[in-house]
């Protein structure tokens, strides 16, 4: 008897860990060294967890043996609520906070609790593909609104408004954006809020990169600008504190709770079904929220800033390649001019690059960008290694044909 995957998985994809990854794994198993520029995992590139986080982890080991509250330990939820109250959120307490095994788990829970079959969720294009995947898995319909490369990858508000229908339930905002590195202006966020207000939509604001911004850019919290809207804000420690493997994330519910009371019952039920988040990771949250070591990495001349700048400059030196300067995050999303390089299948391109150069990047269509003319490159290697890798990609492009 043959066992087939569930029909619920039809159309669900996550190319960051998709088929090309399997080829990369096979090459490593055969003895090749692969430069993994496909996933924002700081640890392999020499980024260490902050000392304060590790000390907090060790100190709390004796208390981390049992289940916690389904939403997370109260002290950590209180710390998260206070952190965001200091940043302009209104009416928060520990009941406003759900802890999770990273933002990925919480995004799935948040969508599952809201979406019925056929409901639509507005998601940016390009997007972090998890949002599209969990919407499809919930039986919903992801509807992608375009972000404008010519405007620094800010959302195209006219396109967003045109795609709102009677089935639309929520708008996803990813700010700072993965994969483009855009940091959204307060004006754009207020206009998105007005659309959500006018059409009665929930907002999911993915702000995992809020502390990784460059060149004096300022991150603005959506919920602080629109306190009258039901907004779920997602954050965590994976990137800012370089502990992706700890899986320490949270979501904050803000706005008029009575309007979301029934929804929150469902969200709390889903939180209970997983029993609780990882108890050990929860115990590092209080210490982590007072750790500011990320500031040294993103300041001018800091390691993350230097790597981002090197990647952006080197990409723009390649013939037929252009890249908007990322203002936040850990990625670059360059455009490969189709009139110069004539790439028709970007997944085939990244696979061919992997096979020849042993460099692993992700195709732009994997982020639900409609044309095969972009790729995403992780900017975590040291600046010198970053430049060498991008020049190798450039040499590959010079001789590549499809």
């Amino acid at each position: 008897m043959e066992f087939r995957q569930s029909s619920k998985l039809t159309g669900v994809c996550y190319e960051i860990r998709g088929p090309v990854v399997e080829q990369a794994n096979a090459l490593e198993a055969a003895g090749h060294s692969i430069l993994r520029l496909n996933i924002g995992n700081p640890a392999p590139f020499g980024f260490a967890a902050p000392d304060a986080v590790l000390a907090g982890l060790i100190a709390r080991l004796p208390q981390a043996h049992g289940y916690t509250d389904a939403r997370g330990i109260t002290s950590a939820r209180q710390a998260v609520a206070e952190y965001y109250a200091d940043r302009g959120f209104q009416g928060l307490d520990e009941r406003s906070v759900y802890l999770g095994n990273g933002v990925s788990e919480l995004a799935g829970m948040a969508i599952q609790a809201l979406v019925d079959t056929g409901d639509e969720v507005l998601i940016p294009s390009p997007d972090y593909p998890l949002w599209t995947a969990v919407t499809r898995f919930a039986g919903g319909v992801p509807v992608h609104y375009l972000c404008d490369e010519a405007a620094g990858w800010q959302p195209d508000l006219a396109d967003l408004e045109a795609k709102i229908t009677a089935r639309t339930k929520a708008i996803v905002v990813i700010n700072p954006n993965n994969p483009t590195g855009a940091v959204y202006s307060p004006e754009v966020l207020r206009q998105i809020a007005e659309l959500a207000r006018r059409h009665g939509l929930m907002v999911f604001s993915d702000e995992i990169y809020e502390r990784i911004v460059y060149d004096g850019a300022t991150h603005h919290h959506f919920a602080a600008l629109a306190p009258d809207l039901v907004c779920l804000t997602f954050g965590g420690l994976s990137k800012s504190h370089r502990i992706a493997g700890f899986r320490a994330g949270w979501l904050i519910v803000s706005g008029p709770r009575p309007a979301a009371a029934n929804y929150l019952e469902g969200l709390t039920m889903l939180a209970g079904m997983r029993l609780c988040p990882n108890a050990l990771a929860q115990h590092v949250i209080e210490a982590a929220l007072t750790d500011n070591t990320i500031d040294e990495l993103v300041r001018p001349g800091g390691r993350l800033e230097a790597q981002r700048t090197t990647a952006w400059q080197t990409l723009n030196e390649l013939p037929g390649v252009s890249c908007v300067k990322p203002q936040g995050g850990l990625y670059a999303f360059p455009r490969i001019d189709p009139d110069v390089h004539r790439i028709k299948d970007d997944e085939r391109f990244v696979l061919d690059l992997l096979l020849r150069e042993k460099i692993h990047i992700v195709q732009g269509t994997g982020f639900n960008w409609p044309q095969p003319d972009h790729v995403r490159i992780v900017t975590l290697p040291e600046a010198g290694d970053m430049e060498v890798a991008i020049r190798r990609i450039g040499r590959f492009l010079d001789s590549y044909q499809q």
Side-chain angles (χ1 to χ4, degrees):
M1 178 176 178
E2 180 184 14
F3 294 93
R4 305 279 298 175
Q5 65 180 242
S6 165
S7 61
K8 294 191 299 291
L9 293 175
T10 302
V12 175
C13 13
Y14 186 68
E15 294 296 343
I16 294 169
R17 289 187 179 273
V20 180
V21 175
E22 298 303 316
Q23 183 63 61
N25 293 341
L27 288 169
E28 281 189 334
H32 297 281
S33 177
I34 306 299
L35 180 57
R36 300 275 190 165
L37 302 183
N38 65 306
I39 191 165
N41 186 13
F45 296 97
F47 289 93
D51 290 341
V53 172
L54 296 179
L57 181 72
I58 294 167
R60 295 296 187 130
L61 274 172
Q63 289 84 46
H65 298 161
Y67 291 134
T68 72
D69 184 285
R71 293 166 297 179
I73 58 176
T74 300
S75 59
R77 288 189 285 130
Q78 287 173 334
V80 172
E82 291 168 7
Y83 175 88
Y84 285 92
D86 289 343
R87 285 153 181 79
F89 285 50
Q90 298 181 17
L92 299 187
D93 58 27
E94 73 276 4
R95 296 173 303 161
S96 309
V97 180
Y98 292 74
L99 304 183
N101 299 301
V103 166
S104 299
E105 177 189 57
L106 293 165
M109 289 166 50
I111 291 285
Q112 287 280 0
L114 181 69
V115 170
D116 285 321
T117 300
D119 285 344
E120 297 173 359
V121 178
L122 286 160
I123 301 171
S125 173
D127 70 342
Y128 180 56
L130 172 78
W131 286 102
T132 295
V134 297
T135 298
R136 285 201 174 108
F137 187 64
V141 179
V143 178
H144 294 102
Y145 64 90
L146 294 175
C147 296
D148 185 355
E149 187 169 16
W153 288 114
Q154 299 285 309
D156 183 331
L157 295 166
D159 187 65
L160 172 56
E161 183 172 17
K163 288 174 176 172
I164 296 173
T165 74
R167 294 304 303 265
T168 306
K169 298 293 287 288
I171 302 173
V172 174
V173 176
I174 305 175
N175 175 41
N177 184 265
N178 174 8
T180 67
V183 177
Y184 295 166
S185 71
E187 293 77 18
V188 163
L189 295 175
R190 287 191 183 98
Q191 290 179 74
I192 294 174
E194 179 54 34
L195 291 174
R197 191 174 293 120
R198 191 185 315 154
H199 294 277
L201 305 178
M202 189 177 289
V203 175
F204 296 137
S205 189
D206 183 344
E207 302 181 5
I208 188 68
Y209 294 99
E210 63 163 294
R211 298 185 65 180
I212 303 178
V213 293
Y214 312 108
D215 304 333
T218 300
H219 172 262
H220 297 273
H221 295 285
F222 189 99
L225 296 173
D228 60 312
L229 295 177
V230 175
C231 179
L232 272 60
T233 301
F234 298 80
L237 305 178
S238 294
K239 316 301 183 179
S240 60
H241 293 75
R242 289 82 69 199
I243 52 173
F246 281 30
R247 312 308 300 132
W250 53 77
L251 72 79
I252 305 99
V253 182
S254 59
R257 291 181 68 90
N262 183 264
Y263 168 77
L264 293 175
E265 286 180 11
L267 185 62
T268 302
M269 180 181 67
L270 290 175
M273 287 171 62
R274 58 171 187 172
L275 295 180
C276 72
N278 180 285
L280 194 54
Q282 294 180 60
H283 282 294
V284 309
I285 289 174
E286 290 178 78
L289 288 175
T290 60
D291 174 83
N292 296 315
T293 53
I294 188 63
D295 296 344
E296 288 297 304
L297 295 171
V298 300
R299 64 170 174 78
R303 181 177 166 186
L304 286 176
E305 189 276 341
Q307 293 164 185
R308 181 284 315 244
T309 300
T310 296
W312 167 68
Q313 291 176 337
T314 309
L315 284 165
N316 281 300
E317 291 171 1
L318 302 182
V321 177
S322 60
C323 184
V324 174
K325 191 175 189 180
Q327 296 298 301
L330 303 174
Y331 315 98
F333 196 63
R335 179 176 186 267
I336 301 174
D337 189 335
D339 292 329
V340 176
H341 296 291
R342 302 187 184 282
I343 293 172
K344 297 185 176 72
D345 183 338
D346 56 352
E347 182 176 9
R348 178 184 161 195
F349 166 72
V350 300
L351 179 59
D352 290 342
L353 174 69
L354 172 67
L355 293 171
R356 188 185 305 180
E357 294 292 333
K358 309 303 183 289
I359 296 173
H360 185 188
I361 62 177
V362 184
Q363 65 273 20
T365 54
F367 300 90
N368 294 291
W369 183 247
Q371 302 298 326
D373 58 0
H374 284 75
V375 295
R376 191 193 73 167
I377 298 174
V378 169
T379 60
L380 284 168
E382 292 274 9
D385 296 334
M386 191 84 254
E387 180 178 2
V388 169
I390 291 173
R391 295 207 182 281
R392 285 172 58 194
I393 294 172
R395 287 193 293 272
F396 175 78
L397 269 171
D398 287 343
S399 60
Y400 183 71
Q401 293 183 345
Q402 284 192 350

